[in-house]
Amino acid sequence: MVLKLYGFATSTCTLRVAVVLKEKNVPFEFIPVDLLKGAHKAPEFTAYQPFGQVPYIDDNGLILYESRAIGRYIAAKYASQGTPLLPTDPTAIAFFEQAASTETSNYDPFVSGLAWELKFSMLFGGKTDEARAKSLQGQLSAKLDAYDVILGKQKYLAGNDITLADLFHLPYGAVVLDVGLDEFSSRPNVARWWKDISSRASWEAVKGGI
Amino acid sequence: MVKLYGFTHSTCTRLVALVCKEKNIPYELVHVNLAKGEQKDPAFTANQPFGQVPYIDDEGFILYESRAIARYLSKKYPNQGTSLIPSDPKAEGLFEQAASIEAFNFTAFVAPIVAEKVFKPRRGLQPNEERVTELLAMLQGKMDAYDAILGKQKYLAGDSVTLADLSHLPHGTVFCQAGYAEVFESRPNLSRWWKDISSRPAWLAVKDGA
């Protein structure tokens, strides 16, 4: 049975899973969840995803949610096909985990906060909290200075090979750029890395929506 | 011996210390003087480009990000002390789901709440009460989902404790100490789980200092 991806066609977290599926050449069936109608809060949904969030997968009866957990599961299950996205050597694994954790704590809070303030809050009838957006931008800027140092010594975040950790940056990075906030171009190593990962065929295939 | 560069009361430093205690890994805490800004000195940022604690030096191998360090140590000593990360593919997938839940559905809310209510006042700053109210409201919904999950299984990834459960302890404990224990105690399954993990000898050994 083909893997089922339950999500929203343009949702950042749904795209985070989709880019991994594409990179690993894993066929999947996309089942849209109507967020605007509140389908993600309905009991039929929360029975599978108790937080009422997209996406989740059904892989032959195994239900899994949290986009990064799904990405890791796919990359491990299909290790021998498509692009290798998880290292196997213990030292390389440690550096991968360092990079993956860096994305969750030194990138995601700022870019997802900016995405909310500058784009998504408006879709739900809210407005931009300018002070918060400014604060988040300042914090993101400082973090990307550290990224520029790291990426001046190696091609990707975990070393010289691409890993899941790099790909996980794509969805929110793209939203923030889309609303006109560019903290990448002014930092040469970050700019090089962003251009590299965002021009991959797997991302091009899904970035406009599944 | 593992050298743990950190601050005795830092949440993230104590996560690493906790894992060392669970796995019977001897470590030496090397005190980083945060009050003097030592973590921003070039000698420090050469090892940790974000200028944050902790990082470890394991016989010359440098690693930062407490969750990455925790995973590295758990995997380096799989058969020593408590087993913290499963190796079976399905169990590992569910572990990754639980680890992601901790980062994005717990710490993402609890850490900024304690930053406002505990860490800012220590620096003579006023908490942003409106932000705290907002974060707490969002956290309550997340804790309802936790209670649903923990009504069906003993721990977040299944019926065995994993690193995903333990990762809640540092910030969760400060949160309780700040007067928010009722958020856990008012939910029966969540309360049971919190009592269980927070009374582990390894946590009691480091909760007041790494």
Side-chain angles (χ1 to χ4, degrees), chain B residues 33-75:
Chain B
N33 196 330
L34 301 184
K36 288 220 167 99
E38 189 186 335
Q39 76 279 22
K40 306 296 177 189
D41 288 346
F44 189 96
T45 59
N47 292 316
Q48 214 292 6
F50 296 92
Q52 296 172 309
V53 291
Y55 75 84
I56 60 163
D57 178 344
D58 183 19
E59 306 293 332
F61 180 63
I62 309 285
L63 199 68
Y64 58 85
E65 287 294 309
S66 62
R67 293 185 187 89
I69 299 168
R71 285 165 173 262
Y72 163 75
L73 293 172
S74 299
K75 287 198 162 169

Side-chain angles (χ1 to χ4, degrees), chain A residues 93-135:
Chain A
I93 290 172
F95 288 137
F96 161 71
E97 292 296 353
Q98 180 177 272
S101 186
T102 294
E103 188 268 323
T104 67
S105 53
N106 283 324
Y107 178 83
D108 186 88
F110 313 105
V111 288
S112 65
L114 282 165
W116 175 258
E117 292 303 336
L118 301 175
K119 182 171 181 178
F120 298 132
S121 65
M122 268 75 81
L123 299 177
F124 293 93
K127 63 186 209 333
T128 303
D129 178 336
E130 298 287 354
R132 181 157 182 256
K134 190 155 190 245
S135 169

Side-chain angles (χ1 to χ4, degrees), chain B residues 164-180:
Chain B
D165 304 286
L166 302 186
S167 301
H168 292 73
L169 285 165
H171 283 105
T173 299
V174 181
F175 183 69
C176 288
Q177 289 167 343
Y180 294 100

Side-chain angles (χ1 to χ4, degrees), chain B residues 8 19 43 54 65 69 88 113 121 144 157 192 202 208:
Chain B
T8 186
V19 172
E65 287 294 309
I69 299 168
D88 158 73
I113 289 171
D144 289 340
R192 173 204 43 81
D208 296 318

